[in-house]
Amino acid sequence: MPYWTSLSQAGLLLISQSQQSHAQSGADILAFVDPLIGTLNGGHVFPGASLPFSMAKAVADTNGDGYQGGFASDGSNITGFSHMHDSGTGGSPSLGNFPLFPQSGCPEDVLDNCLFTKVDRATPRINGTVEAHPGYFAIEMASKVRTEMTVSNHTALYRFTFPEQPSERNTTLSPLILADLTDLPDSRINGSISVDESTGRISGSGSFSPSFGIGSYTAYFCADFSGAKVRDTGVFMNNRAGTEPKNLTVTADGINISPEILPAGAWTRFHAPEGCEIVARVGVSFISVAQACSSAEKEVPTFDFDATHTAAKNAWVDSLGVVSVKPDGVNDSIKTIFWSGLYRASLSPQDYTGENPLWNSTEPYYDSFYCIWDSFRSIHSLITLVDPVSQARMVRSLIDIYRYEGWLPDCRMSLCKGFTQGGSNADVVLAESYLKGITDGIDWATGYKAVVQDAEIEPSNWAVEGRGGLTSWKNLHYIPADDFDPYGVGPFTRSISRTGEYAYDDFCIAEMARGLGNQADYEKYLARSEYWQNLYLASQSSYINATNTNYTGFLQPRYLNGTFGFQDPIFCSPLLNFTSCYLNPDGHETYEGSAWLYTFFAPHDTATLIGLLGGPDTFVKRLDYFHTSGLLYIGDEQGFLNVFLYHYAGRPGKSAERAHYYIPSQFNDTLAGIPGNDDSGAMGSFAALTMMGIFPAAGQDVYFITPPFFEEVSIRNKVIGNVAIIRNIGFDPSYQAIYIQSATLNGTQYTKNWIGHDFFRDGGVLELTLGKNESAWGTREEDLPPSASTRGW
Ligand SMILES: *[C@@H]1O[C@H](CO)[C@@H](O)[C@H](O)[C@H]1NC(C)=O
Ligand SMILES: *[C@@H]1O[C@H](CO)[C@@H](O)[C@H](O)[C@H]1NC(C)=O
Ligand SMILES: *[C@@H]1O[C@H](CO)[C@@H](O)[C@H](O)[C@H]1NC(C)=O
Ligand SMILES: *[C@@H]1O[C@H](CO)[C@@H](O)[C@H](O)[C@H]1NC(C)=O
Ligand SMILES: *[C@@H]1O[C@H](CO)[C@@H](O)[C@H](O)[C@H]1NC(C)=O
Ligand SMILES: *[C@@H]1O[C@H](CO)[C@@H](O)[C@H](O)[C@H]1NC(C)=O
Ligand SMILES: *[C@@H]1O[C@H](CO)[C@@H](O)[C@H](O)[C@H]1NC(C)=O
Ligand SMILES: *[C@@H]1O[C@H](CO)[C@@H](O)[C@H](O)[C@H]1NC(C)=O
Ligand SMILES: *[C@@H]1O[C@H](CO)[C@@H](O)[C@H](O)[C@H]1NC(C)=O
Ligand SMILES: *[C@@H]1O[C@H](CO)[C@@H](O)[C@H](O)[C@H]1NC(C)=O
Ligand SMILES: *[C@@H]1O[C@H](CO)[C@@H](O)[C@H](O)[C@H]1NC(C)=O
Ligand SMILES: *[C@@H]1O[C@H](CO)[C@@H](O)[C@H](O)[C@H]1NC(C)=O
């Protein structure tokens, strides 16, 4: 039992045992993390070296398609090695500032024979040389230069191994390493760089554009080298280099001076290193070059690659090690999907505390909430479960962003406001943390003000914060397709999906109001949470290829005058104009999905929805049809909850069926093993939570119970130390027996098909007895998860 330990007893003994075995088991967990999953076919995963939630994220940057996260596992070339990235994003490539690029020497020893521009130096990888593990990435280029990398929180460390005999024509070993004033999307606005001729240190700064937002940001770096004597230094511009001057500045001056048009940077050339190795240490900062240098000096004082790598590995063992599974009988591929998913959900948001140039505050500062529209649905629930310390810091950071920027973000990256896709979904994240007792240092009074402001005040630019159409929301009780909204600007699209999301956001505010003892607000927002029903058109039918699906009743666009419009319910599903509902001015009434999809979205009142759609049996048939007809795309986060909606219809067994339907067919351990953009680990969090058997109703204190994909899963609460164990009795690794027949909690019968967060706070044992057929377990009205109109709210 390599990474499993029996945790079936309670008490101190258990904690000390788990700590012992956890150290021993950690390496085994890491062996099942494959960071390369999702680096093909649109996953956009960052597969490089990172710590949990670290700012430094180092990888080889490539130049094909799909390099949003820096590196793609395609046949494209390598253009450099850079130190900060975002993972899984759907916008433009993000960050990737100031890449280094190593060359063994300049042909004929002529400086200008080295390759300086991104286009010129792009070098093929040698297939089969990539190695990716938590905290480590390595690759060899066709130039025979092998680059390994690891990181600390603000520092990337690269170990370049040069060939003794360079492969370039007539070249002797005298490595040149350049640093380029560029970023992945070539968004540089201005920059400056300088090189120290005695030490070879290259440092500089640049202003760049965020990849899915407005404004600009400035970043700084500081690169030092160890392992070889400096031979000469200088700068380059275009494809020419010289040893004088030692610095340069590129400014916009009213003309477009992007790095595509004006490549520029600095370089240091070395005498042949002993052992052919040079280590480059790159500190990064959003404050100053001095801070970039001092972080690097503090975090990696001696350029010790192996020690830094070991520390990174240990950080991942600590982070992932709060979860353990009993792996018996389960194949390696399933284990890899699980641990890799858990891993990817711990990359972002990134801890930029101490690196925020925008305001001075003693609160933590996290960035790369990229985007909350994606991450609210399961990433933050997962972080709450496995790392409540970080979740509390993230919530504090969100509240601090409200304090100083005036609004909670729906998306944020690179110190900039990102685009809002639907509602004000930070409301959901805050409410869920509040309900789950994440309190550490959180100013909930201010947090509540922030969410109420989202609901009450329309910002002048609701494309990047808050909500639009609030006047209609309050007066008409829906967002009209032809809204008249002179109070703010934003894309006047997505009236159906915004209505659904605003309703849910209001529900989450109601939950907080109740918890805070504000009965009036509770009633007000609970009433507003029912507004989604105002777009429900009971008579609307849906045809596919001119054949009636026989399902009627869909959310439909509605005008200011109260009459309904029409958007084909399958429009923007994979079956019809799949990509027509993105965030652009000619978007439509649903966002990145169909009216079929959004009609299923009332997570706070699925009981009412089931009634509207004709009762549990019809609802279940309709949900089956939705999953099997090609209408549902599971590669976008709004798809996730649909896997578990069966719970509300008293059919938890069907949720388990669906979970196995998608994993591993859509979530697997191949390079293309994610069905859509990972979006900072969202797809990973879906896989991890589903496989643990506790997918959350985000924004509520509800986890849907399905059998874990392992005989047993246990989760140690990082703050309190309590351990929650979910154990399958009659576990069947071929997944025939996936139906819960009965359950006990701490030995007492447990019939509800969901469980609250107190289980993970207090610990205990949830035992699920499995069988090959659906049973009566969890099917009674009183066993179902809460809904606003019934049961508990
Ligand atoms: C390397 O792999 C890519 C596909 O990933 C392929 O296009 C390319 O031809 C391969 N190169 C060599 C030299 O085999
Ligand atoms: C090779 O480069 C050296 C300088 O390093 C130069 O003197 C020599 O002429 C070159 N030989 C050829 C064949 O180009
Ligand atoms: C990749 O490198 C190869 C070999 O140098 C070159 O032929 C090709 O044009 C490069 N492609 C890109 C997109 O950089
Ligand atoms: C890195 O930052 C995290 C917080 O995000 C902190 O817990 C950890 O101790 C830091 N690591 C080091 C080595 O300072
Ligand atoms: C280069 O550095 C010197 C000394 O710090 C400074 O005076 C000069 O303005 C810099 N030049 C450019 C082009 O940045
Ligand atoms: C934060 O405080 C420092 C030191 O007092 C000051 O230099 C800096 O300008 C302040 N930053 C902001 C955004 O207020
Ligand atoms: C609809 O028709 C198209 C084209 O004939 C076909 O490819 C598709 O599978 C059909 N879809 C359904 C759901 O029947
Ligand atoms: C819808 O109902 C009609 C009439 O009962 C039936 O002929 C048709 O096959 C049904 N369509 C589907 C897709 O089941
Ligand atoms: C309501 O408004 C829509 C959109 O402007 C228009 O097409 C429709 O005719 C109007 N209906 C009535 C009854 O005025
Ligand atoms: C739907 O797709 C078709 C063909 O791909 C295209 O001609 C049409 O303009 C699209 N419709 C909308 C509303 O985007
Ligand atoms: C793995 O997942 C991808 C993405 O969802 C899917 O396209 C592919 O078919 C899956 N592969 C296998 C072998 O199931
Ligand atoms: C289950 O057992 C654990 C450990 O003894 C305890 O902390 C927890 O409160 C119990 N839960 C219930 C619901 O009894």
Side-chain angles (χ1 to χ4, degrees):
M1 292 189 195
Y3 56 95
W4 159 250
T5 176
S6 171
L7 294 171
S8 54
Q9 314 146 47
L12 285 171
L13 174 64
L14 178 150
I15 290 163
S16 74
Q17 271 181 353
S18 80
Q19 277 169 351
Q20 272 170 19
S21 64
H22 144 245
Q24 182 187 39
S25 63
D28 292 315
I29 291 177
L30 298 197
F32 290 106
V33 174
D34 182 355
L36 292 166
I37 294 172
T39 52
L40 262 190
N41 292 4
H44 298 172
V45 161
F46 162 80
S50 178
L51 294 181
F53 309 118
S54 64
M55 181 164 124
K57 294 198 181 331
V59 82
D61 293 325
T62 59
N63 68 357
D65 293 323
Y67 62 108
Q68 271 78 352
F71 178 86
S73 292
D74 52 14
S76 60
N77 293 349
I78 293 169
T79 58
F81 299 90
S82 71
H83 339 296
M84 295 188 287
H85 292 87
D86 280 311
S87 188
T89 68
S92 331
S94 197
L95 297 164
N97 322 72
F98 317 118
L100 299 186
F101 189 82
Q103 294 169 69
S104 303
C106 304
E108 288 155 28
D109 210 29
V110 171
L111 187 57
D112 277 338
N113 286 349
C114 266
L115 303 169
F116 291 95
T117 74
K118 213 189 258 189
V119 171
D120 288 350
R121 68 183 188 245
T123 304
R125 70 196 78 192
I126 299 179
N127 287 350
T129 62
V130 173
E131 274 181 60
H133 306 293
Y136 180 86
F137 185 91
I139 193 166
E140 187 173 332
M141 294 187 284
S143 59
K144 301 281 195 293
V145 180
R146 176 174 165 79
T147 306
E148 298 166 277
M149 60 213 79
T150 186
V151 295
S152 56
N153 276 332
H154 309 91
T155 310
L157 200 62
Y158 302 91
R159 181 159 65 192
F160 300 114
T161 307
F162 297 92
E164 227 164 293
Q165 182 49 59
S167 57
E168 294 88 351
R169 81 189 142 90
N170 195 17
T171 302
T172 50
L173 183 62
S174 178
L176 180 144
I177 299 175
L178 64 80
D180 194 345
L181 278 179
T182 187
D183 64 346
L184 275 175
D186 288 330
S187 80
R188 187 190 70 218
I189 298 158
N190 57 50
S192 64
I193 197 163
S194 67
V195 56
D196 183 307
E197 62 186 309
S198 56
T199 63
R201 166 180 282 185
I202 304 177
S203 61
S205 65
S207 297
F208 304 91
S209 303
S211 63
F212 188 66
I214 57 170
S216 65
Y217 69 96
T218 301
Y220 305 84
F221 81 105
C222 176
D224 288 304
F225 305 95
S226 166
K229 283 211 196 70
V230 173
R231 182 179 156 197
D232 52 5
T233 60
V235 298
F236 70 89
M237 191 174 269
N238 295 311
N239 59 357
R240 289 286 174 269
T243 54
E244 289 297 335
K246 300 298 186 192
N247 60 356
L248 63 76
T249 295
V250 280
T251 49
D253 285 340
I255 50 165
N256 184 343
I257 205 84
S258 81
E260 276 169 301
I261 294 170
L262 188 60
W267 55 271
T268 296
R269 191 157 51 166
F270 301 89
H271 294 290
E274 298 236 353
C276 297
E277 277 178 18
I278 294 179
V279 173
R281 179 187 71 188
V282 185
V284 285
S285 174
F286 292 102
I287 300 290
S288 64
V289 164
Q291 186 153 318
C293 297
S294 74
S295 291
E297 286 159 359
K298 247 183 283 166
E299 292 176 6
V300 191
T302 62
F303 293 81
D304 188 336
F305 189 92
D306 295 328
T308 309
H309 178 204
T310 300
K313 267 200 295 209
N314 290 342
W316 281 109
V317 170
D318 279 354
S319 163
L320 302 177
V322 303
V323 176
S324 67
V325 300
K326 191 171 182 180
D328 303 38
V330 173
N331 70 37
D332 284 356
S333 140
I334 290 286
K335 292 177 212 163
T336 303
I337 299 166
F338 175 71
W339 289 110
S340 305
L342 194 61
Y343 165 83
R344 293 202 308 278
S346 297
L347 293 172
S348 278
Q350 303 177 15
D351 189 352
Y352 287 11
T353 305
E355 293 292 344
N356 178 7
L358 302 175
W359 61 85
N360 283 320
S361 165
T362 53
E363 287 295 277
Y365 179 74
Y366 281 69
D367 203 292
S368 295
F369 289 96
Y370 197 177
C371 292
I372 293 176
W373 184 86
D374 307 279
S375 64
F376 88 81
R377 299 166 205 270
S378 53
I379 292 185
H380 283 285
S381 309
L382 183 58
I383 296 173
T384 301
L385 204 52
V386 300
D387 191 356
V389 175
S390 291
Q391 175 66 12
R393 289 165 55 82
M394 289 167 190
V395 168
R396 286 168 62 179
S397 167
L398 288 172
I399 294 172
D400 214 40
I401 291 168
Y402 158 76
R403 259 187 214 110
Y404 289 93
E405 299 256 37
W407 297 90
L408 293 167
D410 192 51
C411 194
R412 189 173 176 87
M413 79 289 307
S414 315
L415 307 162
C416 292
K417 294 177 179 183
F419 298 120
T420 296
Q421 288 161 276
S424 50
N425 294 316
D427 306 348
V428 184
V429 176
L430 262 57
E432 184 175 329
S433 284
Y434 179 79
L435 294 178
K436 290 183 176 173
I438 304 296
T439 52
D440 194 18
I442 301 174
D443 170 3
W444 280 117
T446 304
Y448 185 66
K449 263 195 227 158
V451 299
V452 166
Q453 176 175 294
D454 282 340
E456 296 300 331
I457 298 174
E458 181 165 325
S460 57
N461 181 4
W462 49 270
V464 294
E465 55 210 1
R467 309 183 198 170
L470 277 181
T471 303
S472 294
W473 186 242
K474 292 177 199 172
N475 297 333
L476 292 175
H477 304 173
Y478 57 92
I479 299 299
D482 59 346
D483 200 13
F484 172 61
D485 179 6
Y487 309 105
V489 295
F492 287 102
T493 57
R494 304 158 294 142
S495 63
I496 294 175
S497 48
R498 281 165 56 214
T499 293
E501 291 192 19
Y502 294 179
Y504 191 54
D505 297 338
D506 279 344
F507 171 77
C508 290
I509 298 171
E511 291 178 304
M512 281 181 77
R514 188 176 56 171
L516 292 163
N518 187 335
Q519 183 67 17
D521 275 12
Y522 166 63
E523 286 168 16
K524 170 182 179 178
Y525 292 113
L526 191 63
R528 282 170 52 160
S529 79
E530 298 300 319
Y531 290 177
W532 60 275
Q533 293 172 42
N534 295 326
L535 294 190
Y536 180 74
L537 183 58
S539 60
Q540 183 62 54
S541 53
S542 171
Y543 286 72
I544 296 177
N545 287 348
T547 304
N548 195 340
T549 62
N550 296 342
Y551 293 103
T552 53
F554 290 92
L555 300 192
Q556 283 293 291
R558 200 167 178 190
Y559 298 114
L560 278 163
N561 62 18
T563 63
F564 277 95
F566 174 70
Q567 179 177 303
D568 189 328
I570 72 169
F571 184 69
C572 291
S573 78
L575 299 184
L576 185 66
N577 291 59
F578 186 34
T579 59
S580 290
C581 289
Y582 290 144
L583 200 57
N584 51 43
D586 54 359
H588 295 272
E589 302 316 318
T590 48
Y591 181 66
E592 291 192 4
S594 62
W596 261 89
L597 174 75
Y598 283 102
T599 299
F600 280 114
F601 185 73
H604 53 306
D605 202 5
T606 305
T608 292
L609 177 67
I610 289 173
L612 285 174
L613 298 184
D617 292 345
T618 315
F619 179 83
V620 166
K621 279 201 202 95
R622 180 175 181 142
L623 198 50
D624 278 344
Y625 184 78
F626 183 49
H627 282 282
T628 56
S629 58
L631 279 165
L632 173 59
Y633 169 53
I634 200 71
D636 213 339
E637 288 74 11
Q638 330 90 301
F640 297 168
L641 187 63
N642 298 288
V643 173
F644 301 93
L645 288 182
Y646 296 101
H647 270 67
Y648 291 96
R651 300 287 296 278
K654 293 208 66 113
S655 299
E657 278 175 26
R658 286 292 159 230
H660 287 279
Y661 175 83
Y662 290 112
I663 304 173
S665 75
Q666 298 280 302
F667 298 81
N668 52 52
D669 64 347
T670 67
L671 295 174
I674 333 188
N677 305 149
D678 201 31
D679 292 316
S680 300
M683 299 285 141
S685 68
F686 171 78
L689 286 159
T690 300
M691 295 172 86
M692 288 193 282
I694 43 169
F695 196 81
Q700 301 172 43
D701 186 6
V702 170
Y703 298 87
F704 306 109
I705 301 171
T706 51
F709 283 43
F710 301 96
E711 182 170 350
E712 195 164 314
V713 173
S714 65
I715 301 166
R716 178 167 44 87
N717 185 301
K718 217 174 178 174
V719 179
I720 311 170
N722 290 335
V723 176
I725 298 171
I726 309 168
R727 178 180 300 143
N728 286 320
I729 307 291
F731 176 66
D732 167 14
S734 74
Y735 304 124
Q736 305 299 305
I738 54 165
Y739 302 100
I740 298 171
Q741 309 294 303
S742 62
T744 59
L745 177 60
N746 289 355
T748 304
Q749 284 299 322
Y750 192 83
T751 61
K752 285 190 296 179
N753 67 26
W754 61 283
I755 198 161
H757 191 68
D758 51 355
F759 174 54
F760 300 103
R761 188 193 57 221
D762 301 341
V765 181
L766 179 66
E767 265 184 4
L768 311 173
T769 300
L770 306 187
K772 291 192 171 163
N773 296 297
E774 277 189 270
S775 78
W777 178 84
T779 60
R780 297 172 311 166
E781 178 71 15
E782 60 266 39
D783 299 331
L784 311 184
S787 271
S789 59
T790 60
R791 296 190 297 272
W793 298 108

